[in-house]
Amino acid sequence: MTTTQEVYDLLDKAKSFVCSKIPESLSKPKSLIICGSGLGGISSLLQDTTEISYSEIPGFSVSTVPGHAGKLVFGFIGSNKVPVVCMVGRLHFYEGYSFNETTFPVRLAKQLGVEIVVVTNAAGGINPNFKAGDLMIIYDHINIPGFAGWHPLRGPNLDKFGPRFQPLSDAYDLQLRQLFFQQKKKLGVERNIHEGTYFYASGPTFESRAESRVIRTLGGDAVGMSTVPEVIVARHCGLRVLALSLITNECVVDPPASAFDENPKPLDEGMASHAEVLEYANQASLDVQKIIEATVNEF
């Protein structure tokens, strides 16, 4: 197991390397924006950019998922020229990385002076009122891997960042959520936006019908394979969090056709796919980009 001092040393190396590659004006970004599947276009909003590949940074792992470019993009966003850094592509537990590896970028962001983390993701709609293309602002989460002992704060506590026992009842910042809705209204964006609870499943399989019914019963409104580890570590670091899910498909919750049915429905009806995730993300990306730009501009 990696010791706390080894983690601190690796973060120091990463910070030194990154700071050597970016101009002084970008060395203390206000916000980290984590771009989920199909939402990497958020980084195109940045001005005067500097890009660094994950593979170059000490301690960083490489993103292996289609739609995740795997680079940090530093730049300024909005008319107020707010300095930010975008993670274009995230790291996932299902790729074989540990939670320490998948959340390393969040701790690096804290080292760089980031105060706010904006997390985006693509998610399946569990709530029957959610349709593909809708947006959901996360106001709570259910961490199923955490229930089973797979938790990003497991192991020796990094006292430099936060306490041994981190409360999460305030994980999703109310003022930031209010600001997001205000900017959506101000911009006249008509896309449906909900608030809800994000259910974190480790993946990489999409949920079975029975699992989707369980998630609904437990109170999940949307389900995905990311975000919660990053949010937990961000809160442990004392960072404020705004998290957004793009609903890319409606999860199938009806039981499958029975062998006794005379006219069974096809089993693949409504079945999720990564191509579908990227398609809906691309369709909604302009609205997401506009609202995020306007929101971060007020940070």
Side-chain angles (χ1 to χ4, degrees):
M1 181 181 290
T2 305
T3 67
T4 55
Q5 190 56 53
E6 288 172 334
V7 174
Y8 294 150
D9 290 344
L10 194 54
L11 283 166
D12 287 342
K13 289 179 182 178
K15 178 183 177 182
S16 296
F17 177 82
V18 167
C19 288
S20 73
K21 299 292 183 180
I22 58 178
E24 177 66 25
S25 59
L26 290 172
S27 62
K28 291 185 178 180
K30 179 81 171 182
S31 176
L32 167 67
I33 304 173
I34 302 177
C35 304
S37 295
L39 295 172
I42 294 171
S43 66
S44 66
L45 302 173
L46 273 56
Q47 309 156 41
D48 302 324
T49 59
T50 299
E51 298 185 3
I52 307 174
S53 172
Y54 292 172
S55 61
E56 299 178 61
I57 305 172
F60 258 62
S61 300
V62 179
S63 181
T64 64
V65 182
H68 292 255
K71 60 184 178 181
L72 294 182
V73 181
F74 291 80
F76 301 95
I77 194 169
S79 58
N80 290 333
K81 302 262 186 197
V82 179
V84 302
V85 54
C86 282
M87 279 184 67
V88 186
R90 56 156 50 88
L91 305 165
H92 303 83
F93 184 64
Y94 66 72
E95 293 177 80
Y97 298 126
S98 69
F99 282 131
N100 280 337
E101 291 170 316
T102 63
T103 60
F104 185 87
V106 177
R107 292 194 173 105
L108 174 60
K110 172 67 175 180
Q111 293 283 79
L112 292 172
V114 161
E115 300 174 13
I116 297 171
V117 177
V118 179
V119 190
T120 68
N121 64 59
I126 294 290
N127 189 312
N129 296 318
F130 291 5
K131 306 300 179 184
D134 288 357
L135 303 177
M136 183 187 85
I137 297 297
I138 301 174
Y139 67 11
D140 208 346
H141 71 237
I142 299 171
N143 179 16
I144 281 295
F147 283 7
W150 291 100
H151 197 283
L153 298 183
R154 179 176 177 267
N157 186 56
L158 299 179
D159 295 331
K160 180 177 178 179
F161 292 98
R164 170 75 282 184
F165 300 106
Q166 175 65 43
L168 290 174
S169 56
D170 64 345
Y172 300 92
D173 193 281
L174 176 58
Q175 290 181 328
L176 295 180
R177 285 186 277 129
Q178 291 173 330
L179 177 60
F180 188 92
F181 279 110
Q182 290 166 4
Q183 295 306 313
K184 181 259 187 187
K185 184 177 181 180
K186 184 177 179 180
L187 291 167
V189 174
E190 296 183 357
R191 188 173 299 275
N192 290 331
I193 301 185
H194 315 273
E195 280 190 300
T197 297
Y198 180 89
F199 188 101
Y200 171 52
S202 64
T205 53
F206 293 106
E207 292 66 41
S208 71
R209 295 164 184 260
E211 288 168 342
S212 294
R213 292 197 297 276
V214 168
I215 293 169
R216 180 178 288 181
T217 299
L218 291 176
D221 294 297
V223 58
M225 308 173 192
S226 67
T227 299
V228 169
E230 296 154 335
V231 169
I232 291 172
V233 169
R235 292 301 298 138
H236 187 248
C237 291
L239 305 177
R240 299 170 68 193
V241 172
L242 172 65
L244 168 70
S245 292
L246 168 60
I247 306 303
T248 53
N249 62 283
E250 299 168 46
C251 293
V252 181
V253 297
D254 294 331
S258 168
F260 298 103
D261 292 344
E262 292 185 5
N263 297 298
K265 291 183 179 180
L267 283 178
D268 62 356
E269 187 174 287
M271 185 169 62
S273 71
H274 191 63
E276 180 184 35
V277 168
L278 295 179
E279 178 185 353
Y280 274 100
N282 288 333
Q283 291 176 11
S285 61
L286 292 180
D287 283 344
V288 175
Q289 290 173 27
K290 284 194 297 185
I291 305 173
I292 286 181
E293 180 178 33
T295 302
V296 176
N297 188 58
E298 299 300 319
F299 287 175

